[in-house]
Amino acid sequence: MRTILIRAMLITKNSVVSFHYTLNDADGKLLDTSAGRDAFAYIQGHSMIVPGLERQLEGKKAGESLLAIVPPAEGYGELDPNLVHKVPVDRFGGQKVEAGMQFQAGTSEEGDMGVFTVIGVEDGVVALNGNHPLAGVTLHFNVEITDVRAATEGGLSHGHVHGPGGHHH
């Protein structure tokens, strides 16, 4: 009788990886989770997820679980104080402005739109933060890898993952 060795595929560049995750901040506050949804799928090595998580998933295989702690520099970046602006409330055309609200605003001559979150309103001045909401946050990803497979050429050329049966429109 011949023994057939089945090797689990390891996560390497161009692997299509599916995983379930729970994302908490350093204090344990829940930020995001895939619970109750389909597993999240991405292609390794294509910057589709934050760099620190991608790096820590390299070489793992389906069925493995890990806690990946990702510092801000490898996550959504450090907080950039230059992206915090104070704006007179009258610029908002009389609408009610409260902390937590988000606005799109042009940030440069080219008219690039950035998303700004209101972090405070005081004495007729609105403080806006244009950093990613998770900038400056150390991310704690609890990850359970559910599937690792080779990417199809089609999947690579499109730069995204195809479900079973190819494209769905």
Side-chain angles (χ1 to χ4, degrees):
M1 241 178 82
R2 291 180 50 217
T3 309
I4 298 170
L5 287 176
I6 297 175
R7 278 233 175 85
M9 227 185 113
L10 301 182
I11 297 176
T12 54
K13 186 169 168 65
N14 297 337
S15 300
V16 176
V17 183
S18 301
F19 64 86
H20 276 291
Y21 68 94
T22 303
L23 172 59
N24 300 88
D25 66 12
D27 299 324
K29 185 177 129 209
L30 180 66
L31 301 173
D32 192 14
T33 178
S34 65
R37 302 200 300 260
D38 289 339
F40 180 83
Y42 77 98
I43 302 173
Q44 180 78 0
H46 289 255
S47 304
M48 296 165 87
I49 60 174
V50 296
L53 181 58
E54 189 168 64
R55 187 174 54 73
Q56 293 183 55
L57 287 171
E58 182 83 20
K60 301 276 190 272
K61 55 186 187 292
E64 284 194 69
S65 295
L66 70 149
L67 169 61
I69 297 177
V70 178
E74 293 190 337
Y76 292 98
E78 300 289 355
L79 271 175
D80 180 351
N82 294 323
L83 290 174
V84 177
H85 299 284
K86 297 211 158 153
V87 182
V89 74
D90 58 24
R91 289 245 195 110
F92 291 86
Q95 63 179 307
K96 191 168 169 54
V97 181
E98 297 174 319
M101 292 173 82
Q102 291 190 318
F103 293 93
Q104 279 200 316
T107 53
S108 64
E109 274 70 63
E110 296 85 63
D112 292 335
M113 294 300 271
V115 175
F116 287 83
T117 304
V118 176
I119 51 176
V121 183
E122 199 176 324
D123 299 330
V125 176
V126 179
L128 293 171
N129 182 1
N131 287 282
H132 186 282
L134 296 177
V137 177
T138 297
L139 307 169
H140 289 236
F141 285 97
N142 272 295
V143 175
E144 180 194 339
I145 301 163
T146 56
D147 186 52
V148 180
R149 60 188 168 86
T152 61
E153 282 308 308
L156 285 176
S157 66
H158 288 295
H160 61 251
V161 178
H162 286 214
H167 261 287
H168 296 292
H169 286 292

